[in-house]
Amino acid sequence: MPLSTDVNLPRTHLAKYPERCVSCGADPQGKTIRIWTHTIGWWTFLLWAFGKGFTTQPPVCGDCVLRFRAQRWGRSLVPLLVALLVLVLIWPLLERNPFLEFRKWIIMCSILLCSAPYFLWEVIFPPAIDITAFNDRVDYEFADENYAYDFAELNEEAEWVEIS
Ligand SMILES: [Zn+2]
């Protein structure tokens, strides 16, 4: 079972979406949500702050919009909070000499371990839509396979992304 169904479009192409909520399939009544991502490339880390963002506006109904926003905020904030908690709670415990040398590694491993359940959750319950922007192409990742098919039909330049 694929975790998400991905459709690839040229970056310059303005994506057309089926007239239904990307999350639950209800009538969106003209409502959309703006989702934003960084451009990914070898320069991403060099130009993180200046990275050209890419936005798209899928339709989302009034009922789903809050949940959708919360999920997206959670995805960026939860790992940060976990990292902060680990630093505050574990760092002082490692003040003693035998640990000092490995302190950075212990912290890094703790953060990874504490974040693991969260990322597992993300994989099992993927967001209704996510985008990954490359230099000249954009991947549109849909949790709902049927929505992805309808989306690809609406956008003539669409190419399917191999699911590995
Ligand atoms: Zn909805």
Side-chain angles (χ1 to χ4, degrees):
M1 195 188 77
L3 296 167
S4 71
T5 310
D6 301 354
V7 180
N8 182 274
L9 281 172
R11 205 187 155 98
T12 49
H13 181 96
L14 187 65
K16 296 192 230 31
Y17 289 90
E19 267 301 303
R20 58 181 202 267
C21 172
V22 73
S23 188
C24 72
D27 181 0
Q29 296 178 324
K31 290 193 186 76
T32 59
I33 191 167
R34 181 183 289 271
I35 55 176
W36 184 87
T37 186
H38 268 291
T39 299
I40 291 178
W42 59 267
W43 62 91
T44 304
F45 296 103
L46 294 174
L47 294 174
W48 185 252
F50 314 100
K52 274 191 297 175
F54 179 85
T55 62
T56 188
Q57 279 186 287
V60 175
C61 78
D63 289 342
C64 292
V65 73
L66 270 180
R67 193 159 43 89
F68 200 87
R69 284 230 173 86
Q71 201 182 13
R72 281 192 68 83
W73 273 102
R75 288 173 78 197
S76 22
L77 286 182
V78 169
L80 259 177
L81 283 177
V82 169
L84 207 71
L85 271 177
V86 167
L87 269 177
V88 170
L89 297 177
I90 299 183
W91 190 260
L93 299 179
L94 304 176
E95 287 282 307
R96 268 175 248 161
N97 263 330
F99 300 119
L100 225 49
E101 223 177 308
F102 310 103
R103 193 145 83 156
K104 267 185 210 153
W105 297 106
I106 295 173
I107 289 290
M108 268 165 66
C109 292
S110 316
I111 290 174
L112 278 178
L113 272 176
C114 296
S115 311
Y118 173 75
F119 287 111
L120 196 68
W121 177 266
E122 277 284 304
V123 169
I124 299 170
F125 302 102
I129 181 175
D130 202 3
I131 48 172
T132 307
F134 300 93
N135 201 18
D136 51 358
R137 311 281 302 181
V138 177
D139 278 352
Y140 296 78
E141 297 139 25
F142 297 96
D144 179 2
E145 200 182 338
N146 290 324
Y147 200 97
Y149 281 115
D150 293 346
F151 176 81
E153 236 166 57
L154 277 175
N155 297 278
E156 280 150 25
E157 292 170 85
E159 275 170 28
W160 290 101
V161 176
E162 286 293 320
I163 295 153
S164 50

